[in-house]
Amino acid sequence: MSSVTVYLKAEKNSEVHEQDVFLSQAAKVWCTDRTLENKCRAIKLMTIHDKKENRYVCSVLDVVEQIQKLEPKAEVTNLGEVDFIIDYQPKVRRIGAADWLKTAAVCLIVFFGAAFAIMTFNNDGSVAEIFKDVYYLVMKEESDGITVLEIGYSLGLLLGVLIFFNHFGKRKLTTDPTPIEVQMRLYEDEVDTAIIQNASRKESGIDVH
């Protein structure tokens, strides 16, 4: 068999619901040899044993290695990502009463949160005054400054910070990277880009200092 080219175009992030993940679920494959193309599409990238939501990083180099095992004379041209993510999401179960209750709770939180934000804005950010007015409106008596509103507000801030930053100590709440980790990766990318650009400018005789 003469040399044949296999073209790959992997997406940066592919969502899958099955535990056996094949190349066709994460990348587009094209080849003039349809038999080889179908074999490549059927390459198993991984078997996910954990049934929880998670993300897995795969490398195109591993895919190239598997294609070479199928056909040693095949030339692989990658037109997509070098590293790509497999986002495993278990099959969605039928919506039950608990899901409707969660949806109603989120709607209530958004409604009262928006109302609170509007009232705070109209009072120049005076949260204490808002709490006093709301407490008097409901209880018909003056607030002593420490009520269920202040306590709930303090606990809500704590939970909001923990959920947003996605970790407590060394324990992460989800598998997603924390906002700090994301910002650190962006910072590292910008530093690397600046170093490369500065080096290229110095080589061309342009001094940025």
PDB file of all heavy atoms in Angstrom, residues 27-58:
ATOM      1  N   ALA A  27     -12.955  14.276  17.390  1.00  0.00           N
ATOM      2  CA  ALA A  27     -12.267  14.887  16.252  1.00  0.00           C
ATOM      3  C   ALA A  27     -12.925  14.467  14.943  1.00  0.00           C
ATOM      4  O   ALA A  27     -13.568  13.410  14.861  1.00  0.00           O
ATOM      5  CB  ALA A  27     -10.790  14.477  16.247  1.00  0.00           C
ATOM      6  N   LYS A  28     -12.743  15.312  13.945  1.00  0.00           N
ATOM      7  CA  LYS A  28     -13.160  14.961  12.589  1.00  0.00           C
ATOM      8  C   LYS A  28     -11.996  14.272  11.886  1.00  0.00           C
ATOM      9  O   LYS A  28     -10.847  14.702  12.013  1.00  0.00           O
ATOM     10  CB  LYS A  28     -13.578  16.210  11.819  1.00  0.00           C
ATOM     11  CG  LYS A  28     -14.816  16.894  12.376  1.00  0.00           C
ATOM     12  CD  LYS A  28     -15.174  18.126  11.575  1.00  0.00           C
ATOM     13  CE  LYS A  28     -16.422  18.804  12.135  1.00  0.00           C
ATOM     14  NZ  LYS A  28     -16.774  20.026  11.377  1.00  0.00           N
ATOM     15  N   VAL A  29     -12.294  13.219  11.188  1.00  0.00           N
ATOM     16  CA  VAL A  29     -11.263  12.433  10.498  1.00  0.00           C
ATOM     17  C   VAL A  29     -11.631  12.337   9.021  1.00  0.00           C
ATOM     18  O   VAL A  29     -12.785  12.060   8.675  1.00  0.00           O
ATOM     19  CB  VAL A  29     -11.138  11.021  11.100  1.00  0.00           C
ATOM     20  CG1 VAL A  29     -10.003  10.253  10.434  1.00  0.00           C
ATOM     21  CG2 VAL A  29     -10.915  11.091  12.613  1.00  0.00           C
ATOM     22  N   TRP A  30     -10.641  12.574   8.161  1.00  0.00           N
ATOM     23  CA  TRP A  30     -10.878  12.435   6.719  1.00  0.00           C
ATOM     24  C   TRP A  30      -9.668  11.793   6.078  1.00  0.00           C
ATOM     25  O   TRP A  30      -8.510  12.104   6.411  1.00  0.00           O
ATOM     26  CB  TRP A  30     -11.139  13.791   6.065  1.00  0.00           C
ATOM     27  CG  TRP A  30     -11.570  13.648   4.629  1.00  0.00           C
ATOM     28  CD1 TRP A  30     -12.824  13.458   4.158  1.00  0.00           C
ATOM     29  CD2 TRP A  30     -10.711  13.664   3.485  1.00  0.00           C
ATOM     30  NE1 TRP A  30     -12.827  13.360   2.784  1.00  0.00           N
ATOM     31  CE2 TRP A  30     -11.520  13.476   2.344  1.00  0.00           C
ATOM     32  CE3 TRP A  30      -9.331  13.803   3.308  1.00  0.00           C
ATOM     33  CZ2 TRP A  30     -11.014  13.437   1.067  1.00  0.00           C
ATOM     34  CZ3 TRP A  30      -8.823  13.764   2.022  1.00  0.00           C
ATOM     35  CH2 TRP A  30      -9.660  13.587   0.911  1.00  0.00           C
ATOM     36  N   CYS A  31      -9.954  10.881   5.152  1.00  0.00           N
ATOM     37  CA  CYS A  31      -8.894  10.190   4.425  1.00  0.00           C
ATOM     38  C   CYS A  31      -9.467   9.690   3.103  1.00  0.00           C
ATOM     39  O   CYS A  31     -10.659   9.355   3.017  1.00  0.00           O
ATOM     40  CB  CYS A  31      -8.361   9.018   5.264  1.00  0.00           C
ATOM     41  SG  CYS A  31      -7.050   8.086   4.457  1.00  0.00           S
ATOM     42  N   THR A  32      -8.632   9.662   2.066  1.00  0.00           N
ATOM     43  CA  THR A  32      -9.092   9.147   0.774  1.00  0.00           C
ATOM     44  C   THR A  32      -9.397   7.660   0.844  1.00  0.00           C
ATOM     45  O   THR A  32     -10.242   7.164   0.101  1.00  0.00           O
ATOM     46  CB  THR A  32      -8.035   9.413  -0.303  1.00  0.00           C
ATOM     47  OG1 THR A  32      -6.774   8.863   0.130  1.00  0.00           O
ATOM     48  CG2 THR A  32      -7.867  10.910  -0.546  1.00  0.00           C
ATOM     49  N   ASP A  33      -8.710   6.966   1.736  1.00  0.00           N
ATOM     50  CA  ASP A  33      -8.973   5.541   1.965  1.00  0.00           C
ATOM     51  C   ASP A  33     -10.083   5.428   2.997  1.00  0.00           C
ATOM     52  O   ASP A  33      -9.866   5.594   4.201  1.00  0.00           O
ATOM     53  CB  ASP A  33      -7.700   4.844   2.451  1.00  0.00           C
ATOM     54  CG  ASP A  33      -7.870   3.333   2.548  1.00  0.00           C
ATOM     55  OD1 ASP A  33      -9.014   2.858   2.670  1.00  0.00           O
ATOM     56  OD2 ASP A  33      -6.852   2.620   2.514  1.00  0.00           O
ATOM     57  N   ARG A  34     -11.307   5.128   2.549  1.00  0.00           N
ATOM     58  CA  ARG A  34     -12.457   5.099   3.446  1.00  0.00           C
ATOM     59  C   ARG A  34     -12.350   3.999   4.494  1.00  0.00           C
ATOM     60  O   ARG A  34     -12.826   4.161   5.621  1.00  0.00           O
ATOM     61  CB  ARG A  34     -13.742   4.926   2.638  1.00  0.00           C
ATOM     62  CG  ARG A  34     -14.031   6.075   1.693  1.00  0.00           C
ATOM     63  CD  ARG A  34     -14.060   7.412   2.422  1.00  0.00           C
ATOM     64  NE  ARG A  34     -14.287   8.532   1.527  1.00  0.00           N
ATOM     65  CZ  ARG A  34     -14.233   9.803   1.881  1.00  0.00           C
ATOM     66  NH1 ARG A  34     -13.900  10.106   3.131  1.00  0.00           N
ATOM     67  NH2 ARG A  34     -14.452  10.764   1.021  1.00  0.00           N
ATOM     68  N   THR A  35     -11.721   2.910   4.148  1.00  0.00           N
ATOM     69  CA  THR A  35     -11.558   1.831   5.120  1.00  0.00           C
ATOM     70  C   THR A  35     -10.675   2.268   6.277  1.00  0.00           C
ATOM     71  O   THR A  35     -10.995   2.061   7.442  1.00  0.00           O
ATOM     72  CB  THR A  35     -10.956   0.587   4.450  1.00  0.00           C
ATOM     73  OG1 THR A  35     -11.819   0.162   3.369  1.00  0.00           O
ATOM     74  CG2 THR A  35     -10.826  -0.547   5.458  1.00  0.00           C
ATOM     75  N   LEU A  36      -9.550   2.901   5.927  1.00  0.00           N
ATOM     76  CA  LEU A  36      -8.660   3.404   6.957  1.00  0.00           C
ATOM     77  C   LEU A  36      -9.331   4.513   7.761  1.00  0.00           C
ATOM     78  O   LEU A  36      -9.163   4.602   8.984  1.00  0.00           O
ATOM     79  CB  LEU A  36      -7.368   3.919   6.321  1.00  0.00           C
ATOM     80  CG  LEU A  36      -6.333   4.510   7.287  1.00  0.00           C
ATOM     81  CD1 LEU A  36      -5.922   3.483   8.344  1.00  0.00           C
ATOM     82  CD2 LEU A  36      -5.114   5.007   6.519  1.00  0.00           C
ATOM     83  N   GLU A  37     -10.112   5.349   7.081  1.00  0.00           N
ATOM     84  CA  GLU A  37     -10.816   6.430   7.782  1.00  0.00           C
ATOM     85  C   GLU A  37     -11.763   5.872   8.840  1.00  0.00           C
ATOM     86  O   GLU A  37     -11.796   6.351   9.981  1.00  0.00           O
ATOM     87  CB  GLU A  37     -11.606   7.278   6.786  1.00  0.00           C
ATOM     88  CG  GLU A  37     -12.413   8.393   7.447  1.00  0.00           C
ATOM     89  CD  GLU A  37     -13.251   9.169   6.445  1.00  0.00           C
ATOM     90  OE1 GLU A  37     -12.747   9.423   5.323  1.00  0.00           O
ATOM     91  OE2 GLU A  37     -14.401   9.518   6.787  1.00  0.00           O
ATOM     92  N   ASN A  38     -12.517   4.841   8.481  1.00  0.00           N
ATOM     93  CA  ASN A  38     -13.441   4.234   9.439  1.00  0.00           C
ATOM     94  C   ASN A  38     -12.694   3.576  10.602  1.00  0.00           C
ATOM     95  O   ASN A  38     -13.145   3.628  11.749  1.00  0.00           O
ATOM     96  CB  ASN A  38     -14.328   3.209   8.732  1.00  0.00           C
ATOM     97  CG  ASN A  38     -15.295   3.853   7.755  1.00  0.00           C
ATOM     98  OD1 ASN A  38     -15.697   5.005   7.943  1.00  0.00           O
ATOM     99  ND2 ASN A  38     -15.662   3.135   6.704  1.00  0.00           N
ATOM    100  N   LYS A  39     -11.545   2.974  10.303  1.00  0.00           N
ATOM    101  CA  LYS A  39     -10.745   2.370  11.373  1.00  0.00           C
ATOM    102  C   LYS A  39     -10.227   3.441  12.328  1.00  0.00           C
ATOM    103  O   LYS A  39     -10.207   3.240  13.544  1.00  0.00           O
ATOM    104  CB  LYS A  39      -9.576   1.583  10.781  1.00  0.00           C
ATOM    105  CG  LYS A  39      -9.982   0.287  10.082  1.00  0.00           C
ATOM    106  CD  LYS A  39      -8.752  -0.436   9.551  1.00  0.00           C
ATOM    107  CE  LYS A  39      -9.144  -1.740   8.861  1.00  0.00           C
ATOM    108  NZ  LYS A  39      -7.947  -2.453   8.332  1.00  0.00           N
ATOM    109  N   CYS A  40      -9.828   4.581  11.764  1.00  0.00           N
ATOM    110  CA  CYS A  40      -9.331   5.676  12.607  1.00  0.00           C
ATOM    111  C   CYS A  40     -10.456   6.246  13.473  1.00  0.00           C
ATOM    112  O   CYS A  40     -10.241   6.540  14.661  1.00  0.00           O
ATOM    113  CB  CYS A  40      -8.733   6.779  11.741  1.00  0.00           C
ATOM    114  SG  CYS A  40      -7.207   6.315  10.889  1.00  0.00           S
ATOM    115  N   ARG A  41     -11.603   6.400  12.889  1.00  0.00           N
ATOM    116  CA  ARG A  41     -12.728   6.934  13.653  1.00  0.00           C
ATOM    117  C   ARG A  41     -13.108   6.017  14.811  1.00  0.00           C
ATOM    118  O   ARG A  41     -13.637   6.477  15.827  1.00  0.00           O
ATOM    119  CB  ARG A  41     -13.928   7.140  12.733  1.00  0.00           C
ATOM    120  CG  ARG A  41     -13.771   8.285  11.739  1.00  0.00           C
ATOM    121  CD  ARG A  41     -14.884   8.274  10.695  1.00  0.00           C
ATOM    122  NE  ARG A  41     -16.195   8.335  11.307  1.00  0.00           N
ATOM    123  CZ  ARG A  41     -16.820   9.446  11.660  1.00  0.00           C
ATOM    124  NH1 ARG A  41     -16.216  10.617  11.451  1.00  0.00           N
ATOM    125  NH2 ARG A  41     -18.007   9.421  12.205  1.00  0.00           N
ATOM    126  N   ALA A  42     -12.833   4.732  14.657  1.00  0.00           N
ATOM    127  CA  ALA A  42     -13.195   3.756  15.692  1.00  0.00           C
ATOM    128  C   ALA A  42     -12.106   3.564  16.741  1.00  0.00           C
ATOM    129  O   ALA A  42     -12.250   2.720  17.634  1.00  0.00           O
ATOM    130  CB  ALA A  42     -13.527   2.418  15.034  1.00  0.00           C
ATOM    131  N   ILE A  43     -11.018   4.342  16.670  1.00  0.00           N
ATOM    132  CA  ILE A  43      -9.959   4.237  17.674  1.00  0.00           C
ATOM    133  C   ILE A  43     -10.503   4.642  19.042  1.00  0.00           C
ATOM    134  O   ILE A  43     -11.130   5.698  19.185  1.00  0.00           O
ATOM    135  CB  ILE A  43      -8.757   5.126  17.296  1.00  0.00           C
ATOM    136  CG1 ILE A  43      -8.031   4.554  16.075  1.00  0.00           C
ATOM    137  CG2 ILE A  43      -7.788   5.256  18.464  1.00  0.00           C
ATOM    138  CD1 ILE A  43      -6.895   5.431  15.575  1.00  0.00           C
ATOM    139  N   LYS A  44     -10.275   3.802  20.032  1.00  0.00           N
ATOM    140  CA  LYS A  44     -10.743   4.110  21.389  1.00  0.00           C
ATOM    141  C   LYS A  44      -9.709   4.987  22.097  1.00  0.00           C
ATOM    142  O   LYS A  44      -8.559   4.591  22.273  1.00  0.00           O
ATOM    143  CB  LYS A  44     -10.991   2.833  22.186  1.00  0.00           C
ATOM    144  CG  LYS A  44     -11.534   3.101  23.596  1.00  0.00           C
ATOM    145  CD  LYS A  44     -11.693   1.823  24.404  1.00  0.00           C
ATOM    146  CE  LYS A  44     -12.861   0.999  23.874  1.00  0.00           C
ATOM    147  NZ  LYS A  44     -13.148  -0.155  24.787  1.00  0.00           N
ATOM    148  N   LEU A  45     -10.139   6.177  22.488  1.00  0.00           N
ATOM    149  CA  LEU A  45      -9.238   7.095  23.180  1.00  0.00           C
ATOM    150  C   LEU A  45      -9.064   6.719  24.642  1.00  0.00           C
ATOM    151  O   LEU A  45      -7.964   6.796  25.184  1.00  0.00           O
ATOM    152  CB  LEU A  45      -9.771   8.531  23.088  1.00  0.00           C
ATOM    153  CG  LEU A  45      -9.847   9.146  21.691  1.00  0.00           C
ATOM    154  CD1 LEU A  45     -10.447  10.536  21.749  1.00  0.00           C
ATOM    155  CD2 LEU A  45      -8.462   9.188  21.054  1.00  0.00           C
ATOM    156  N   MET A  46     -10.160   6.315  25.275  1.00  0.00           N
ATOM    157  CA  MET A  46     -10.099   5.958  26.691  1.00  0.00           C
ATOM    158  C   MET A  46     -11.385   5.267  27.111  1.00  0.00           C
ATOM    159  O   MET A  46     -12.398   5.316  26.407  1.00  0.00           O
ATOM    160  CB  MET A  46      -9.899   7.217  27.548  1.00  0.00           C
ATOM    161  CG  MET A  46     -11.071   8.180  27.501  1.00  0.00           C
ATOM    162  SD  MET A  46     -10.878   9.595  28.610  1.00  0.00           S
ATOM    163  CE  MET A  46      -9.490  10.393  27.809  1.00  0.00           C
ATOM    164  N   THR A  47     -11.312   4.631  28.264  1.00  0.00           N
ATOM    165  CA  THR A  47     -12.492   4.097  28.935  1.00  0.00           C
ATOM    166  C   THR A  47     -12.578   4.771  30.297  1.00  0.00           C
ATOM    167  O   THR A  47     -11.660   4.654  31.114  1.00  0.00           O
ATOM    168  CB  THR A  47     -12.417   2.574  29.100  1.00  0.00           C
ATOM    169  OG1 THR A  47     -12.345   1.964  27.797  1.00  0.00           O
ATOM    170  CG2 THR A  47     -13.636   2.048  29.833  1.00  0.00           C
ATOM    171  N   ILE A  48     -13.667   5.469  30.525  1.00  0.00           N
ATOM    172  CA  ILE A  48     -13.847   6.207  31.774  1.00  0.00           C
ATOM    173  C   ILE A  48     -14.498   5.287  32.796  1.00  0.00           C
ATOM    174  O   ILE A  48     -15.626   4.813  32.600  1.00  0.00           O
ATOM    175  CB  ILE A  48     -14.706   7.460  31.544  1.00  0.00           C
ATOM    176  CG1 ILE A  48     -14.029   8.367  30.501  1.00  0.00           C
ATOM    177  CG2 ILE A  48     -14.943   8.211  32.846  1.00  0.00           C
ATOM    178  CD1 ILE A  48     -14.870   9.518  30.044  1.00  0.00           C
ATOM    179  N   HIS A  49     -13.790   5.012  33.861  1.00  0.00           N
ATOM    180  CA  HIS A  49     -14.304   4.104  34.880  1.00  0.00           C
ATOM    181  C   HIS A  49     -15.091   4.834  35.964  1.00  0.00           C
ATOM    182  O   HIS A  49     -15.996   4.268  36.569  1.00  0.00           O
ATOM    183  CB  HIS A  49     -13.144   3.331  35.514  1.00  0.00           C
ATOM    184  CG  HIS A  49     -12.376   2.492  34.530  1.00  0.00           C
ATOM    185  ND1 HIS A  49     -12.876   1.326  33.985  1.00  0.00           N
ATOM    186  CD2 HIS A  49     -11.157   2.686  33.948  1.00  0.00           C
ATOM    187  CE1 HIS A  49     -11.995   0.817  33.150  1.00  0.00           C
ATOM    188  NE2 HIS A  49     -10.944   1.620  33.099  1.00  0.00           N
ATOM    189  N   ASP A  50     -14.736   6.079  36.213  1.00  0.00           N
ATOM    190  CA  ASP A  50     -15.454   6.871  37.205  1.00  0.00           C
ATOM    191  C   ASP A  50     -16.709   7.451  36.557  1.00  0.00           C
ATOM    192  O   ASP A  50     -16.633   8.092  35.509  1.00  0.00           O
ATOM    193  CB  ASP A  50     -14.550   7.999  37.723  1.00  0.00           C
ATOM    194  CG  ASP A  50     -15.133   8.678  38.955  1.00  0.00           C
ATOM    195  OD1 ASP A  50     -16.285   8.351  39.314  1.00  0.00           O
ATOM    196  OD2 ASP A  50     -14.446   9.515  39.550  1.00  0.00           O
ATOM    197  N   LYS A  51     -17.863   7.245  37.184  1.00  0.00           N
ATOM    198  CA  LYS A  51     -19.125   7.685  36.603  1.00  0.00           C
ATOM    199  C   LYS A  51     -19.492   9.114  36.988  1.00  0.00           C
ATOM    200  O   LYS A  51     -20.611   9.551  36.760  1.00  0.00           O
ATOM    201  CB  LYS A  51     -20.248   6.738  37.017  1.00  0.00           C
ATOM    202  CG  LYS A  51     -20.090   5.329  36.452  1.00  0.00           C
ATOM    203  CD  LYS A  51     -21.277   4.456  36.792  1.00  0.00           C
ATOM    204  CE  LYS A  51     -21.109   3.062  36.197  1.00  0.00           C
ATOM    205  NZ  LYS A  51     -22.265   2.190  36.498  1.00  0.00           N
ATOM    206  N   LYS A  52     -18.555   9.860  37.579  1.00  0.00           N
ATOM    207  CA  LYS A  52     -18.812  11.241  37.944  1.00  0.00           C
ATOM    208  C   LYS A  52     -18.356  12.178  36.816  1.00  0.00           C
ATOM    209  O   LYS A  52     -17.530  11.819  35.989  1.00  0.00           O
ATOM    210  CB  LYS A  52     -18.059  11.598  39.230  1.00  0.00           C
ATOM    211  CG  LYS A  52     -18.504  10.799  40.443  1.00  0.00           C
ATOM    212  CD  LYS A  52     -17.699  11.210  41.661  1.00  0.00           C
ATOM    213  CE  LYS A  52     -18.112  10.395  42.886  1.00  0.00           C
ATOM    214  NZ  LYS A  52     -17.314  10.769  44.086  1.00  0.00           N
ATOM    215  N   GLU A  53     -18.914  13.384  36.824  1.00  0.00           N
ATOM    216  CA  GLU A  53     -18.504  14.387  35.843  1.00  0.00           C
ATOM    217  C   GLU A  53     -17.017  14.687  36.006  1.00  0.00           C
ATOM    218  O   GLU A  53     -16.530  14.862  37.106  1.00  0.00           O
ATOM    219  CB  GLU A  53     -19.307  15.679  36.036  1.00  0.00           C
ATOM    220  CG  GLU A  53     -20.793  15.534  35.780  1.00  0.00           C
ATOM    221  CD  GLU A  53     -21.515  16.846  35.958  1.00  0.00           C
ATOM    222  OE1 GLU A  53     -20.821  17.882  36.153  1.00  0.00           O
ATOM    223  OE2 GLU A  53     -22.755  16.857  35.921  1.00  0.00           O
ATOM    224  N   ASN A  54     -16.319  14.740  34.882  1.00  0.00           N
ATOM    225  CA  ASN A  54     -14.886  15.042  34.935  1.00  0.00           C
ATOM    226  C   ASN A  54     -14.399  15.436  33.557  1.00  0.00           C
ATOM    227  O   ASN A  54     -15.077  15.190  32.547  1.00  0.00           O
ATOM    228  CB  ASN A  54     -14.093  13.837  35.451  1.00  0.00           C
ATOM    229  CG  ASN A  54     -12.796  14.259  36.123  1.00  0.00           C
ATOM    230  OD1 ASN A  54     -12.340  15.392  35.973  1.00  0.00           O
ATOM    231  ND2 ASN A  54     -12.189  13.345  36.864  1.00  0.00           N
ATOM    232  N   ARG A  55     -13.222  16.054  33.523  1.00  0.00           N
ATOM    233  CA  ARG A  55     -12.601  16.433  32.263  1.00  0.00           C
ATOM    234  C   ARG A  55     -11.251  15.735  32.147  1.00  0.00           C
ATOM    235  O   ARG A  55     -10.507  15.667  33.120  1.00  0.00           O
ATOM    236  CB  ARG A  55     -12.415  17.949  32.178  1.00  0.00           C
ATOM    237  CG  ARG A  55     -13.715  18.722  32.093  1.00  0.00           C
ATOM    238  CD  ARG A  55     -13.434  20.222  31.945  1.00  0.00           C
ATOM    239  NE  ARG A  55     -14.650  20.981  31.738  1.00  0.00           N
ATOM    240  CZ  ARG A  55     -15.368  21.521  32.709  1.00  0.00           C
ATOM    241  NH1 ARG A  55     -14.966  21.375  33.959  1.00  0.00           N
ATOM    242  NH2 ARG A  55     -16.450  22.212  32.448  1.00  0.00           N
ATOM    243  N   TYR A  56     -10.949  15.247  30.948  1.00  0.00           N
ATOM    244  CA  TYR A  56      -9.711  14.512  30.705  1.00  0.00           C
ATOM    245  C   TYR A  56      -8.994  15.146  29.519  1.00  0.00           C
ATOM    246  O   TYR A  56      -9.624  15.506  28.519  1.00  0.00           O
ATOM    247  CB  TYR A  56      -9.996  13.034  30.410  1.00  0.00           C
ATOM    248  CG  TYR A  56     -10.781  12.349  31.501  1.00  0.00           C
ATOM    249  CD1 TYR A  56     -12.174  12.343  31.479  1.00  0.00           C
ATOM    250  CD2 TYR A  56     -10.135  11.700  32.551  1.00  0.00           C
ATOM    251  CE1 TYR A  56     -12.904  11.712  32.478  1.00  0.00           C
ATOM    252  CE2 TYR A  56     -10.858  11.059  33.548  1.00  0.00           C
ATOM    253  CZ  TYR A  56     -12.234  11.074  33.510  1.00  0.00           C
ATOM    254  OH  TYR A  56     -12.961  10.447  34.511  1.00  0.00           O
ATOM    255  N   VAL A  57      -7.688  15.278  29.645  1.00  0.00           N
ATOM    256  CA  VAL A  57      -6.874  15.892  28.590  1.00  0.00           C
ATOM    257  C   VAL A  57      -6.214  14.799  27.761  1.00  0.00           C
ATOM    258  O   VAL A  57      -5.604  13.873  28.312  1.00  0.00           O
ATOM    259  CB  VAL A  57      -5.803  16.822  29.187  1.00  0.00           C
ATOM    260  CG1 VAL A  57      -4.940  17.432  28.080  1.00  0.00           C
ATOM    261  CG2 VAL A  57      -6.453  17.923  30.016  1.00  0.00           C
ATOM    262  N   CYS A  58      -6.354  14.894  26.458  1.00  0.00           N
ATOM    263  CA  CYS A  58      -5.744  13.931  25.528  1.00  0.00           C
ATOM    264  C   CYS A  58      -4.781  14.669  24.594  1.00  0.00           C
ATOM    265  O   CYS A  58      -4.941  15.860  24.330  1.00  0.00           O
ATOM    266  CB  CYS A  58      -6.814  13.219  24.703  1.00  0.00           C
ATOM    267  SG  CYS A  58      -7.995  12.262  25.671  1.00  0.00           S
TER     268      CYS A  58
END
